[in-house]
Amino acid sequence: MNTTADLDCRYRPKWHYSAQRNWLNDPNGLLYSNGVYHLFYQHNPEGDTWGNMSWGHATSVDLLHWEEQPVAIPCDDEEAIYSGSAVVDVRNTSGFGTSDNPPLVAIYTSAYTSGSPMAGLQAQSLAYSTDDGTTWTKYSGNPVLDRVSPDFRDPKVFWYDGDAGSYWVMVAVEAARREVVLYSSPDLLSWEYLSTFGPANATGGVWECPDLFELPVDGDVSNTRWVLVVNLSPGGIAGGSGGQYFVGKFDGVTFHSETTVTEGLQADDTRMAEYGWLDWGRDYYAAVSFSNVPGGRRLMIGWMNNWQYAAATPSDGWRSAMSLVREVKLVSRGGRPVLVQEAIDPFEGQGTELTLGRNRLEPGLTWLPEELSGDVLRIDAEFEPGHAGRVGIVLRADPQRDAATGVFSAGSERTVLAYSPATGELSLDRTESGNVGFHEAFPSVDRVAVPLEDGRIRVRIFLDRCSVEVFAQDGRATITDQIFPADSSAALALFAEGEGASLVSFAVVH
Ligand code: FRU
């Protein structure tokens, strides 16, 4: 929730962060310090489309209620402030603070503009804060890492402490070459080349916003793997922007992938579904993780949009929101570690929960009671599809047109989450979700293969005015999509095709 925003604006999400006014894209500099989570982000302080890139700033103590702060790092005549990360320099290696008051250090991409002698190039720069993120000063020695490249960006920095030693590691991209480049530093000021990863797996667009972190497998800290996140645009699994991940080992110098399916640049990639994807919808991009989170939890946020149509989404003086915060873990499935994701849940212990018990779903539509309707809610549902053709939930439906007939009439609004036991696919169809005409790439049916478990499919769904986030089989697969329905399209229905199916449980929290 943006506690400082005007929540009455049309489509303004309640639980997904959006800037009070104007444009945002990638989450930047995610970090935790002294009881506060900081969310910086790509922001245009002057308008509701991309431009004047600066770091906006919001803070939260619970990852749910966000308070907008003044712009942290503004662009100037020489540079735009592109994406990057931030760290708590606990040992004051940079010397920007003291050992008693360690500095926060932001590592961002200087995208040099026409006022600069370096116009057209991208290099990595620092800004620091000694008042816990309130004010930021650019380092006088910027840039700290320059490859004389027009596409070198999005540094993610973390403290490595392992067999090879203890030092800062930066992962960044040579975006057009589809490469992740790694560097090390003792002090954040001077950087030494380590290695290059890629191109590999999905290469249908530029590589952007990488991340690299270690996680226990199945909670076993003696058995860890490293996860390399590589966002790319276009070339995502659902079309346009998307995030892929590799699982492997990092020896302090080189990332050794255990999940590389294809190497090099793929001209015609037919193996997309075999790669690891952070999300199978259209609207989860530039996802990166927080640093310095207590207890070693790995928390990520994505930009809930897609470069294909981001400039055209319906806007009311603000444009674009972040995803909910997601905790990610590695679990073994089919003998290999895969990411599972769980949203920090705004509805936990909140509101009224309305539950339906086990039910037989007859073929066709079953409209749910009006008190379950809404545009800000969480649904937990479990189905046993049996021999049904498809089974699922109709979200944000227009009750006026359809209630009487029990079937959908052409043009009536709805967003349909369906599971097909025949194909093993979960799909989210937003082709008739409301306003879909603002861009030809927007109407979509996004799909992911998810096997039934004990004959069942479980989904957790978050609706928040202009978005649907689906977590299937306890976060094994997610689908995130924006939707722009009429306020009045808020009805819910269940459906089954063919022989009908069983509903095991269904709960809605408002
Ligand atoms: C990703 C991205 C980054 C870049 C930023 C500019 O969405 O293109 O590569 O740093 O956005 O706003």
Side-chain angles (χ1 to χ4, degrees):
M1 181 185 287
N2 183 334
T3 50
T4 45
D6 168 7
L7 294 174
D8 292 333
C9 285
R10 186 125 202 251
Y11 300 128
R12 167 90 74 189
K14 183 172 178 189
W15 294 111
H16 293 72
Y17 180 76
S18 56
Q20 279 183 61
R21 273 182 293 284
N22 295 328
W23 166 272
L24 67 72
N25 57 289
D26 315 357
N28 295 152
L30 303 173
L31 101 164
Y32 174 88
S33 170
N34 287 331
V36 177
Y37 292 93
H38 294 264
L39 161 61
F40 301 90
Y41 50 90
Q42 289 287 281
H43 183 47
N44 180 355
E46 311 286 336
D48 66 1
T49 52
W50 187 88
N52 307 306
M53 292 326 291
S54 303
W55 277 26
H57 186 198
T59 52
S60 171
V61 294
D62 61 4
L63 298 165
L64 293 168
H65 301 81
W66 293 97
E67 199 164 328
E68 190 160 326
Q69 305 291 344
V71 168
I73 314 178
C75 62
D76 62 25
D77 292 345
E78 300 201 3
E79 63 174 12
I81 315 298
Y82 275 18
S83 287
S85 53
V87 294
V88 184
D89 183 11
V90 186
R91 296 159 200 81
N92 191 32
T93 61
S94 62
F96 293 144
T98 61
S99 47
D100 290 344
N101 183 28
L104 305 186
V105 182
I107 307 94
Y108 66 88
T109 298
S110 294
Y112 295 103
T113 49
S114 52
S116 163
M118 291 172 74
L121 297 180
Q122 298 182 347
Q124 313 323 322
S125 292
L126 306 179
Y128 58 91
S129 171
T130 51
D131 57 7
D132 240 334
T134 308
T135 58
W136 291 81
T137 307
K138 286 183 182 174
Y139 172 49
S140 57
N142 283 338
V144 292
L145 182 54
D146 176 18
R147 290 166 55 111
V148 199
S149 163
D151 287 308
F152 174 38
R153 60 179 178 266
D154 306 344
K156 179 78 196 308
V157 171
F158 63 94
W159 182 254
Y160 171 81
D161 197 0
D163 293 345
S166 301
Y167 42 83
W168 296 106
V169 170
M170 178 195 295
V171 287
V173 289
E174 276 294 348
R177 283 156 53 172
R178 283 79 159 163
E179 288 174 356
V180 174
V181 289
L182 287 82
Y183 286 80
S184 75
S185 171
D187 54 10
L188 299 166
L189 309 175
S190 62
W191 292 90
E192 199 177 303
Y193 174 78
L194 290 177
S195 61
T196 296
F197 175 82
N201 289 4
T203 57
V206 290
W207 279 19
E208 298 184 317
C209 301
D211 199 352
L212 180 62
F213 48 82
E214 188 179 20
L215 285 175
V217 180
D218 300 321
D220 175 3
V221 291
S222 66
N223 178 29
T224 65
R225 288 291 184 285
W226 288 75
V227 178
L228 176 67
V229 169
V230 181
N231 289 277
L232 84 160
S233 186
I237 183 67
S241 313
Q244 62 175 329
Y245 71 92
F246 299 83
V247 179
K249 297 203 168 127
F250 176 59
D251 58 15
V253 176
T254 306
F255 174 74
H256 304 275
S257 168
E258 295 170 356
T259 59
T260 295
V261 179
T262 53
E263 276 185 83
L265 286 168
Q266 302 299 310
D268 177 20
D269 197 339
T270 54
R271 306 190 65 177
M272 292 282 283
E274 295 172 49
Y275 307 152
W277 294 99
L278 292 176
D279 195 282
W280 297 73
R282 292 284 189 98
D283 295 311
Y284 190 73
Y285 190 58
V288 285
S289 68
F290 280 83
S291 62
N292 202 42
V293 176
R297 293 169 82 200
R298 191 52 61 174
L299 303 171
M300 300 184 78
I301 301 184
W303 175 44
M304 202 161 56
N305 218 327
N306 192 313
W307 282 116
Q308 281 182 328
Y309 46 71
T313 55
S315 144
D316 202 353
W318 62 280
R319 189 177 267 126
S320 277
M322 295 299 174
S323 71
L324 293 176
V325 179
R326 300 179 180 187
E327 179 166 6
V328 301
K329 293 181 178 166
L330 279 179
V331 301
S332 307
R333 291 284 154 87
R336 63 188 187 100
V338 294
L339 272 190
V340 294
Q341 309 183 57
E342 183 180 0
I344 305 298
D345 177 11
F347 300 92
E348 193 174 332
Q350 301 267 325
T352 35
E353 175 156 333
L354 294 153
T355 309
L356 302 176
R358 197 178 174 94
N359 256 282
R360 162 109 197 116
L361 283 181
E362 296 305 330
L365 275 178
T366 307
W367 288 93
L368 295 177
E370 207 186 320
E371 60 265 31
L372 298 193
S373 300
D375 61 357
V376 181
L377 50 82
R378 187 193 82 200
I379 297 171
D380 287 297
E382 187 167 4
F383 296 91
E384 237 168 47
H387 299 292
R390 291 189 320 156
V391 59
I393 311 175
V394 185
L395 306 159
R396 298 298 306 269
D398 175 351
Q400 308 306 332
R401 302 224 201 155
D402 297 322
T405 56
V407 294
F408 287 119
S409 43
S412 68
E413 293 185 356
R414 64 203 182 255
T415 300
V416 182
L417 181 71
Y419 188 79
S420 162
T423 61
E425 268 182 356
L426 184 72
S427 61
L428 186 64
D429 181 345
R430 66 174 179 186
T431 55
E432 309 212 52
S433 54
N435 180 354
V436 298
F438 55 86
H439 194 283
E440 60 181 20
F442 185 78
S444 66
V445 184
D446 301 320
R447 303 164 193 283
V448 56
V450 265
L452 294 174
E453 290 171 11
D454 296 327
R456 295 178 176 180
I457 174 82
R458 266 185 310 285
V459 288
R460 167 164 278 199
I461 305 163
F462 295 95
L463 290 186
D464 192 3
R465 298 211 172 105
C466 63
S467 65
V468 185
E469 271 169 296
V470 182
F471 293 74
Q473 304 298 43
D474 305 316
R476 170 67 187 88
T478 66
I479 304 179
T480 303
D481 276 334
Q482 295 179 90
I483 49 169
F484 299 97
D487 296 345
S488 55
S489 296
L492 290 172
L494 300 168
F495 76 96
E497 295 171 350
E499 295 179 21
S502 287
L503 177 70
V504 180
S505 62
F506 188 89
V508 178
V509 191
H510 285 89

